[in-house]
Amino acid sequence: MASLMRHARVLSSSLLASSRMVTSRLDVPQLVAPSRTFRTSLVVHMGRRSAKIALRKGKADAKKAKVYGRIGKKLIQLVKAGGPDPVGNSKLADLLKQAKDLGVPKDIIERNIKKASDAKQGDFQECIYEAYGPGGTGFIIEALTDNVNRTAGDVKSAITKGG
């Protein structure tokens, strides 16, 4: 019983220490308990497990985006060259089969075919570049681009940075 009373005294003294005195309209001091504040942060801190999962998903999404972009550019190129009908355009039919095998969603395929049918859309061209790397190693670089000059500069800078 004595320990319970001692514990109650400690709690009441800590409450008094953390509370503040407030005077009411009648100038009678009253004891007010401190209000609890919550700290919020815009940055979400994840645990190790969640961070690993997020990293893995990020890598998988980057791979998918690369494949979807490449297929989209090829779709635009083939639709511009032979029309949007896969029956009359055998190369487009082969690419649609390849896209289905790679798991490209139908809405992405339809969106790119619709985009290629638009008159404002630029035509994608295939460019082949030769380059020599360290030790005289030869590279053949194939690029699909809508701006040949920009691609030439990008390829040149990538090779000089890479060595």
Side-chain angles (χ1 to χ4, degrees), residues 146-157:
D146 59 343
N147 188 342
V148 179
N149 294 329
R150 181 185 64 221
T151 304
D154 289 346
V155 168
K156 192 180 218 180
S157 69

Side-chain angles (χ1 to χ4, degrees), residues 135-147:
T137 308
F139 293 105
I140 296 179
I141 302 161
E142 296 177 352
L144 189 62
T145 183
D146 59 343
N147 188 342

Side-chain angles (χ1 to χ4, degrees):
M1 187 71 166
S3 66
L4 183 61
M5 291 298 287
R6 196 176 319 126
H7 185 65
R9 256 188 253 132
V10 170
L11 281 178
S12 65
S13 65
S14 66
L15 180 62
L16 285 174
S18 65
S19 7
R20 55 194 164 117
M21 297 296 280
V22 176
T23 57
S24 65
R25 287 187 206 172
L26 301 174
D27 291 331
V28 177
Q30 295 178 348
L31 198 59
V32 178
S35 62
R36 185 172 174 153
T37 60
F38 294 102
R39 286 186 281 173
T40 58
S41 172
L42 295 177
V43 179
V44 177
H45 297 285
M46 298 184 294
R48 177 75 178 140
R49 181 173 180 266
S50 300
K52 285 173 63 175
I53 290 170
L55 182 68
R56 193 177 322 129
K57 284 184 177 184
K59 285 181 181 178
D61 289 345
K63 285 181 185 178
K64 284 181 189 177
K66 189 174 182 179
V67 169
Y68 295 170
R70 188 174 62 235
I71 293 291
K73 287 177 185 176
K74 285 182 182 179
L75 274 170
I76 291 172
Q77 180 189 21
L78 292 176
V79 168
K80 286 269 190 190
D85 187 24
V87 175
N89 192 348
S90 62
K91 289 184 180 180
L92 179 63
D94 292 340
L95 185 64
L96 289 175
K97 185 178 181 221
Q98 182 184 4
K100 186 177 179 182
D101 292 341
L102 290 173
V104 179
K106 284 185 179 182
D107 64 326
I108 292 177
I109 293 171
E110 292 169 359
R111 189 179 341 136
N112 283 313
I113 289 175
K114 185 178 177 184
K115 189 191 295 185
S117 301
D118 189 18
K120 294 179 185 176
Q121 177 64 36
D123 192 18
F124 284 99
Q125 302 171 11
E126 241 180 278
C127 301
I128 299 174
Y129 298 99
E130 277 184 42
Y132 292 99
T137 308
F139 293 105
I140 296 179
I141 302 161
E142 296 177 352
L144 189 62
T145 183
D146 59 343
N147 188 342
V148 179
N149 294 329
R150 181 185 64 221
T151 304
D154 289 346
V155 168
K156 192 180 218 180
S157 69
I159 289 178
T160 54
K161 286 179 185 176

